[in-house]
Amino acid sequence: MGRASGTEPTTEPVRRRLVLLRHAKAEPPSELPDEKRPLALRGRDQAVKVGAALVAAGLVPDAVLVSGAVRTRQTWDLARKHLGEPPVAFTDDLLGAMPRGVLALVRGLDPATRTVLVIGHEPAMAGTAELLAGPGSEDGALAQVRVGVPTATYSVLESDLDWSDWDRKSARLREVTRPA
């Protein structure tokens, strides 16, 4: 039997969203190695607010990549109370990563994944957002990532491309948000 409308089905492009989050406020540098610095009390509060803000914005991740540093792990542990239990990969590849290193991790994501949260460090989080921001990006958000982002701030990028095709200027930077 044929279709009543006589038209072929159209395939809607699949929108993929990348949320790049700088970890919440950490304790100041001390005798501890940098990757062992925990969150400050203020940072703990920030992390909880980030989780709630992501839910309110409809940005619940299907997958999460988290730097192996203590402060990024703690940020995730506090934020996830609002975000459920998506698959999480902890990776030291985000420690000291440059934007191209973060992009390499993104390009290796499962194509079925729609929304990914990456919790990392500066300058990589802002630098990755700037690297990926292409036509249609929000001007104010682009200006912010060019100077860097404060702790507990996330950038949202969108593209219809498969993760493996993400590259320089291939996404739209939609927003940069720091929950109150």
Side-chain angles (χ1 to χ4, degrees), residues 44-96:
R44 291 178 176 277
D45 184 53
Q46 286 178 326
V48 171
K49 288 178 179 174
V50 164
L54 290 171
V55 170
L59 295 169
V60 175
D62 302 314
V64 183
L65 298 174
V66 182
S67 160
V70 169
R71 60 191 177 274
T72 51
R73 287 173 171 266
Q74 289 177 330
T75 298
W76 168 243
D77 284 342
L78 292 165
R80 78 176 179 169
K81 294 177 181 177
H82 298 283
L83 300 172
E85 296 292 334
V88 179
F90 296 97
T91 177
D92 288 341
D93 291 343
L94 286 168
L95 286 169

Side-chain angles (χ1 to χ4, degrees), residues 27-156:
E27 289 290 341
S30 66
E31 70 281 348
L32 288 173
D34 185 60
E35 67 274 4
K36 301 283 187 197
R37 287 192 301 133
L39 290 181
L41 288 177
R42 180 170 149 232
R44 291 178 176 277
D45 184 53
Q46 286 178 326
V48 171
K49 288 178 179 174
V50 164
L54 290 171
V55 170
L59 295 169
V60 175
D62 302 314
V64 183
L65 298 174
V66 182
S67 160
V70 169
R71 60 191 177 274
T72 51
R73 287 173 171 266
Q74 289 177 330
T75 298
W76 168 243
D77 284 342
L78 292 165
R80 78 176 179 169
K81 294 177 181 177
H82 298 283
L83 300 172
E85 296 292 334
V88 179
F90 296 97
T91 177
D92 288 341
D93 291 343
L94 286 168
L95 286 169
M98 299 302 288
R100 286 277 177 193
V102 176
L103 178 57
L105 293 170
V106 169
R107 289 173 122 181
L109 292 166
D110 181 335
T113 304
R114 299 294 179 250
T115 300
V116 176
L117 171 62
V118 177
I119 305 175
H121 310 270
E122 275 297 285
M125 294 298 93
T128 302
E130 182 181 8
L131 173 75
L132 292 169
S137 292
E138 203 277 323
D139 290 338
L142 190 52
Q144 178 65 62
V145 298
R146 285 183 173 147
V147 297
V149 296
T151 57
T153 298
Y154 63 86
S155 303
V156 180

